[in-house]
Amino acid sequence: MDARQLKVEAARAALAHVTDGMRLGIGTGTTAEEFVRLLAEKVATGMTVIGVPTSERTAALCLELGVPLSTLEETPELDLTVDGADEVDPELTLIKGGGGALLREKIVAAASRRMIVIADLSKMVETLGRFPLPIEVNQFGLRATEIAVSAAAENLGLSGPVTLRMTGGQAFVTDGGHFILDASFGRIPDTRALSNALHAIPGVVEHGLFIGLASAAIIAGGDGIQTVHAARKPGSSTDHDVA
Ligand SMILES: O=C(CO)[C@H](O)[C@H](O)COP(=O)(O)O
């Protein structure tokens, strides 16, 4: 099976969790797009769902394929979000934002009772950090924020290049009008500590570590589909239902 087929299989398995009348968060990226295509086929044959897209790109595809859309303003509580990821660890902590949509993706996931991650096996890692961590930052004070990010990481024993994401010779600008810094810190043993440290920097809008948001990950590999469920930790700060 090629990489695209694996994405389709993961998306197909996630679609089995979608039922009539659901309010759905719809992710961004090539894997999420496969989900949109399959969802559109269901909608065409009578399934009624309403989707809240996590990016303008996803919104455009949904509109093109006839998936009915709402906004988080109109529909602030969602039943399920289905989204891809750049990395998934065994606890279902994620790195997201490779497609630049991490802020809306996190807001939508947090507004959902459940989040199912769809990915191919190459995204599963023991420890997050092989994929550079996307950090969405305000355009104002970019250089100061960059320095503060590196300093915060260094305090945690992390280091590596922090680079401004570019596209076509220009800084990449997110749907929210912000820049993205890609931080190549390598292995991130304490994701919670890094998350807290980044959130303490005023110029940081959001970062791509998703902690306690995913309820399940559907992982497609050459040997078939594997579903990993989030462990419910006593006293966990998330009250999201598992898939
Ligand atoms: O976080 C994301 C976009 O911001 C995507 O979910 C992530 O980059 C995975 O994308 P793909 O399915 O294309 O590998």
Side-chain angles (χ1 to χ4, degrees):
M1 233 186 274
D2 66 16
R4 167 151 190 251
Q5 198 51 39
L6 292 176
K7 293 175 190 187
V8 172
E9 291 314 316
R12 197 187 309 285
L15 194 63
H17 295 266
V18 177
T19 53
D20 227 26
M22 269 189 170
R23 300 160 299 177
L24 285 179
I26 305 181
T28 296
T30 54
T31 318
E33 281 168 15
E34 297 303 343
F35 176 77
V36 173
R37 284 184 232 286
L38 294 170
L39 181 65
E41 287 173 16
K42 286 278 187 191
V43 168
T45 56
M47 181 181 257
T48 56
V49 292
I50 188 89
V52 172
T54 54
S55 63
E56 299 300 329
R57 181 173 137 192
T58 295
L61 183 65
C62 288
L63 287 175
E64 183 192 327
L65 299 179
V67 175
L69 292 183
S70 180
T71 62
L72 213 48
E73 278 68 47
E74 280 168 4
T75 314
E77 293 180 326
L78 304 175
D79 301 299
L80 172 66
T81 285
V82 177
D83 201 350
D86 300 299
E87 279 188 351
V88 183
D89 82 3
E91 313 246 274
L92 300 193
T93 300
L94 317 171
I95 287 183
K96 284 186 53 56
L102 66 103
L103 176 61
R104 292 191 185 183
E105 289 173 330
K106 198 177 275 191
I107 293 170
V108 167
S112 301
R113 284 186 59 228
R114 292 186 293 152
M115 177 193 192
I116 296 181
V117 177
I118 49 177
D120 63 80
L121 195 54
S122 69
K123 306 286 184 68
M124 282 299 285
V125 296
E126 265 314 304
T127 308
L128 298 178
R130 192 178 58 201
F131 192 91
L133 177 66
I135 303 169
E136 186 155 346
V137 298
N138 205 291
Q139 294 196 22
F140 179 84
L142 172 67
R143 185 71 192 117
T145 302
E146 224 173 280
I147 291 169
V149 164
S150 293
E154 241 166 72
N155 277 340
L156 296 169
L158 299 170
S159 61
V162 174
T163 54
L164 180 65
R165 189 177 297 181
M166 303 292 289
T167 179
Q170 308 250 309
F172 174 88
V173 178
T174 67
D175 286 345
H178 307 122
F179 287 157
I180 291 201
L181 297 174
D182 289 304
S184 300
F185 295 144
R187 291 175 74 255
I188 306 169
D190 189 344
T191 51
R192 177 69 68 184
L194 182 58
S195 169
N196 290 342
L198 292 174
H199 277 151
I201 299 168
V204 169
V205 177
E206 194 45 88
H207 58 69
L209 289 169
F210 281 47
I211 304 173
L213 285 168
S215 6
I218 296 177
I219 307 294
D223 294 337
I225 297 281
Q226 176 197 352
T227 303
V228 184
H229 292 275
R232 283 277 211 153
K233 296 187 197 89
S236 155
S237 60
T238 175
D239 58 1
H240 287 212
D241 297 344
V242 291

